[in-house]
Amino acid sequence: MSRLIVVSNRVSAPADPAAGSAGGLAMALSAALKTYDGLWFGWSGQTVETFTGELTHQDRAGVKVALVDLEAQDVDEYYNGYANKTLWPLFHHRVDLSANERSYGEGYERVNRRFAEVLAPLIEPDDLIWIHDYHMIPLARDLRRLGITNRIGFFLHTPWPARQLLVTLPHHRRLVESLFAYDLIGFHTEEWLDLFRDYVVSEAGGELDGQGGLECFGRRVQTGIFPIGIDVDSFLKATASAGGRRAHDRMTASAAARAMVVGVDRLDYSKGLEERLLGYEQFLQDNPSWRGGVFLLQVTPISRDEVETYQDIRARLDALAGRINGAFAEMDWQPIRYLNRTYRRDQLAGLYRAARVGLVTPLRDGMNLVAKEYVAAQDPADPGVLILSRFAGAAEQMGEALLVNPFSREELSDAILKALTMPLEERRRRWEALMRVVRDTDVAHWRDAFVSALKVAPVVADDGRG
């Protein structure tokens, strides 16, 4: 039986699978690696003075892990630079924030070559290789150059940018051409796949083959849509756990009969946090009768704090939340509770269950699993209402949410009012439809669908990639 080699920038296989902080994606990939007797390879998160390529091997709850350290310059140029300052903003349609420094691109290419050189000796002839996300787009190309002929798949966890924006990237054609070293490329939604096809056909002169494949650069690659989900059963256990119940009871008591609106997002400009606060402020202005009867709990863990853009957005959010609280707060009521910290998965499940409204309003997002977690955490007898941005990948599946344009503060205000006043019968109907989607497209379905497609993806003999 062939092994599955998972490759990602950071390895998140949990050492303790019972830990409440273990994410659904980590749990699903860990299960797959156990099934296929696999290996998880990636950056250790540590730096060394000089890159040696020396591997650290670990066993994390039955999952074999191989980690490699990078030089500080590698981290600055490849990770903080090209991945987070160039590709991330571009892929989220923020060309104005994309930094096109030559050294970043050079570092990105260098680190991917280094990853390939370290990984190649670990690969056995029948292994399936599954590479994740924008950090490692060129990795298959570099593995092919080292003679690796195994089936290699790539999954993009972010959106794919529109062609008119992608062409602002220096060497955009080279980046896209490197994707044709894969046998299968997966996207969350039809929209992202269509945008990829548009670039290949309109900009690079490629052709669709009518069977989900693309031909360009003298090569062929299979493409597919694989919307990621959550580990539903694991999340339900977290909700019902002692930690989940404590978090729920604590928030219910703290709410003091007020309706809670919850938002949980990593600090990032793609999440629409400023627009969300402005929409909530509009709601308070439009509906004075709700003042004192509702509050927004916004949980926003700090991320990428070494990147200037993230420092700026943190300062703006601090100021905006303070201004809104200063304008509307009473002696016994604060309209926004804004927290910059990380919570365990069981604690978040309890928060979601206690919330009358889940506010998930990114400006652009690959999928957004918070939306699915919020639905899974609800009490079937008295469920809350999900407000979801139409620009999140999840919107393609979750049409029974209240879909909104997060750029419109009036639309957000109207949606919050509708969610807070929605009759129980309608809330139940919407929740039941959403929960069916969450169950039918869980993370195990995503994982198994991709691996199965990779196994049968057409391979063109002597395609010149080696």
Side-chain angles (χ1 to χ4, degrees):
M1 183 176 182
S2 62
R3 298 188 308 168
L4 177 66
I5 297 180
V6 169
V7 184
S8 59
N9 175 63
R10 294 294 296 273
V11 175
S12 54
D16 178 8
S21 58
L25 175 60
M27 299 295 287
L29 290 177
S30 295
L33 290 166
K34 292 175 184 177
T35 300
Y36 290 93
D37 186 29
L39 174 73
W40 199 331
F41 170 86
W43 174 37
S44 67
Q46 303 299 313
T47 59
V48 290
E49 185 174 345
T50 302
F51 179 81
T52 64
E54 182 178 350
L55 284 168
T56 299
H57 293 274
Q58 298 177 1
D59 186 300
R60 296 188 181 178
V63 175
K64 297 174 184 176
V65 168
L67 306 172
V68 64
D69 300 334
L70 295 176
E71 294 177 7
Q73 183 180 356
D74 289 338
V75 176
D76 185 56
E77 294 175 350
Y78 147 78
Y79 181 69
N80 293 330
Y82 202 77
N84 289 332
K85 292 183 181 178
T86 303
L87 292 185
W88 177 268
L90 174 62
F91 281 23
H92 289 84
H93 281 195
R94 290 301 305 270
V95 180
D96 57 314
L97 299 178
S98 188
N100 295 315
E101 299 287 341
R102 180 175 296 177
S103 62
Y104 294 167
E106 292 171 347
Y108 183 73
E109 294 281 342
R110 180 180 65 252
V111 171
N112 272 274
R113 285 196 304 271
R114 287 178 166 178
F115 282 147
E117 290 165 358
V118 175
L119 176 61
L122 305 179
I123 298 172
E124 298 174 2
D126 293 332
D127 289 344
L128 295 171
I129 305 168
W130 190 3
I131 297 171
H132 289 263
D133 228 359
Y134 58 98
H135 309 82
M136 296 182 170
I137 289 174
L139 186 54
R141 178 202 64 194
D142 294 333
L143 288 170
R144 301 298 187 194
R145 289 173 175 173
L146 295 173
I148 300 300
T149 59
N150 301 58
R151 291 179 184 269
I152 308 179
F154 176 80
F155 186 80
L156 183 66
H157 290 263
T158 69
W160 183 263
R163 170 171 52 91
Q164 296 86 344
L165 301 182
L166 183 56
V167 296
T168 66
L169 178 71
H171 309 297
H172 54 86
R173 184 182 178 94
R174 182 174 68 192
L175 186 74
V176 174
E177 183 176 1
S178 69
L179 282 165
F180 278 74
Y182 291 95
D183 298 297
L184 174 66
I185 304 173
F187 300 87
H188 282 305
T189 72
E190 185 77 40
E191 180 183 354
W192 312 148
L193 177 53
D194 284 345
L195 290 174
F196 178 69
R197 287 170 173 165
D198 178 57
Y199 177 95
V200 172
V201 173
S202 301
E203 182 69 26
E207 295 181 354
L208 305 176
D209 70 2
Q211 299 177 336
L214 280 168
E215 295 182 5
C216 197
F217 309 108
R219 302 163 188 164
R220 183 190 183 281
V221 66
Q222 189 73 11
T223 60
I225 301 167
F226 305 92
I228 195 171
I230 65 170
D231 185 340
V232 179
D233 291 335
S234 174
F235 199 80
L236 291 177
K237 289 179 182 177
T239 306
S241 69
R245 292 196 304 271
R246 280 195 301 270
H248 171 270
D249 293 345
R250 182 180 178 185
M251 283 312 308
T252 300
S254 175
R258 298 183 176 100
M260 182 172 77
V261 180
V262 70
V264 177
D265 310 81
R266 177 176 59 81
L267 182 67
D268 193 277
Y269 44 81
S270 69
K271 300 302 182 181
L273 296 171
E274 292 177 89
E275 290 80 2
R276 180 180 308 171
L277 294 187
L278 290 171
Y280 178 67
E281 179 184 37
Q282 187 71 46
F283 167 77
L284 296 175
Q285 292 173 347
D286 294 344
N287 302 278
S289 64
W290 274 96
R291 297 175 194 172
V294 65
F295 68 95
L296 169 63
L297 175 67
Q298 180 60 52
V299 178
T300 305
I302 302 302
S303 71
R304 301 171 185 168
D305 205 28
E306 67 282 354
V307 179
E308 296 85 351
T309 303
Y310 291 82
Q311 297 169 5
D312 292 343
I313 190 175
R314 181 180 183 183
R316 293 198 303 272
L317 286 170
D318 287 346
L320 183 55
R323 179 176 66 76
I324 295 172
N325 279 335
F328 292 97
E330 300 290 348
M331 291 176 58
D332 60 347
W333 171 68
Q334 183 168 295
I336 299 175
R337 302 182 189 179
Y338 179 55
L339 307 177
N340 291 134
R341 59 166 296 181
T342 301
Y343 289 91
R344 289 166 54 98
R345 188 160 51 106
D346 53 354
Q347 293 174 314
L348 289 176
L351 295 183
Y352 296 145
R353 194 175 182 89
R356 285 272 299 275
V357 180
L359 203 49
V360 182
T361 56
L363 305 182
R364 193 165 181 82
D365 225 346
M367 175 54 64
N368 197 296
L369 296 181
V370 169
K372 297 187 176 185
E373 289 176 346
Y374 177 79
V375 170
Q378 295 309 298
D379 177 0
D382 187 20
V385 179
L386 174 64
I387 297 175
L388 180 62
S389 165
R390 62 179 64 253
F391 305 121
E396 192 170 281
Q397 297 178 302
M398 306 181 79
E400 287 299 320
L402 296 182
L403 299 182
V404 297
N405 172 11
F407 294 94
S408 169
R409 65 178 68 183
E410 289 84 4
E411 198 167 320
L412 281 171
S413 170
D414 292 345
I416 293 171
L417 179 62
K418 182 174 181 179
L420 290 171
T421 57
M422 186 177 292
L424 177 60
E425 183 179 355
E426 182 178 356
R427 286 191 279 124
R428 285 177 175 169
R429 177 184 62 77
R430 288 177 180 268
W431 176 82
E432 288 169 359
L434 290 170
M435 192 61 187
R436 281 195 297 271
V437 171
V438 171
R439 276 210 169 275
D440 291 346
T441 60
D442 67 1
V443 73
H445 178 271
W446 166 79
R447 175 196 70 206
D448 295 340
F450 190 94
V451 173
S452 297
L454 179 58
K455 285 182 174 181
V456 300
V459 176
V460 178
D462 190 24
D463 63 359
R465 293 183 302 190

